[in-house]
């Protein structure tokens, strides 16, 4: 989204992602607290807009962080690893939500449980090195340097 691009431009990609995760958590909390009955269903459209902004902010920022921290020479293997991880972990939130819904657990709780995953992501982004250090590390591929140091010298 244009809003996400502006925030990323004014701050840094990890800071933008942390702000996006906080925004997403707040929108989820508000939505699943307010959308409890048929009388409040007109608010769903407003929350749909906010969820759209949030998702439109999340995916480009995620791709930007991933592409900018990619070490040179490892693009193919890490792109495959990224795709693998998103496919392996991506099924868990919908499965838990569906199980909660099928067991007649309140949709408020089922929806708010999604914030657990966003909170975990936020913690990992907080543990990330400073952005300048991440960019510096990505420019030098330690794995390739270690492999070239192990090669025997040729006369």
């Amino acid at each position: 989204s244009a809003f996400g691009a502006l925030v990323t431009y004014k701050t840094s990609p990890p800071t933008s992602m942390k702000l996006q995760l906080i925004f997403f958590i707040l929108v989820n909390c508000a939505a699943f607290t307010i959308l409890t009955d048929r009388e409040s269903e007109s608010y769903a459209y407003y929350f749909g807009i906010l969820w759209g902004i949030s998702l439109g902010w999340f995916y480009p920022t995620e791709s930007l962080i991933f592409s900018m921290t990619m070490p040179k020479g490892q693009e193919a293997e890490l792109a495959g690893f990224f795709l693998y991880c998103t496919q392996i972990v991506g099924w868990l939130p919908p499965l838990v939500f569906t199980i909660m819904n099928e067991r007649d657990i309140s949709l408020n709780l089922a929806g708010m449980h999604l914030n657990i995953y966003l909170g975990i992501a936020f913690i990992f982004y907080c543990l990330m090195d400073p952005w300048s250090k991440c960019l510096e590390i990505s420019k030098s591929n330690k794995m390739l340097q270690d492999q070239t140091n192990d090669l025997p010298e040729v006369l």
Side-chain angles (χ1 to χ4, degrees), residues 30-96:
F32 290 108
T33 300
I34 293 171
L35 300 175
T36 56
D37 54 15
R38 303 282 288 169
E39 294 168 4
S40 61
E41 75 180 21
S42 62
Y43 293 114
Y45 297 106
Y46 300 112
F47 285 113
I49 291 168
L50 294 175
W51 280 319
I53 290 169
S54 188
L55 291 173
W57 182 0
F58 175 81
Y59 287 108
T61 308
E62 176 189 45
S63 296
L64 178 66
I65 291 171
F66 180 72
S67 64
M68 290 184 74
T69 57
M70 181 75 59
K72 304 295 180 221
Q74 290 186 278
E75 294 89 352
E77 66 185 279
L78 290 178
F81 182 70
F82 174 76
L83 202 60
Y84 172 78
C85 288
T86 56
Q87 295 302 314
I88 292 300
V89 180
W91 58 266
L92 185 60
L95 175 67
V96 174

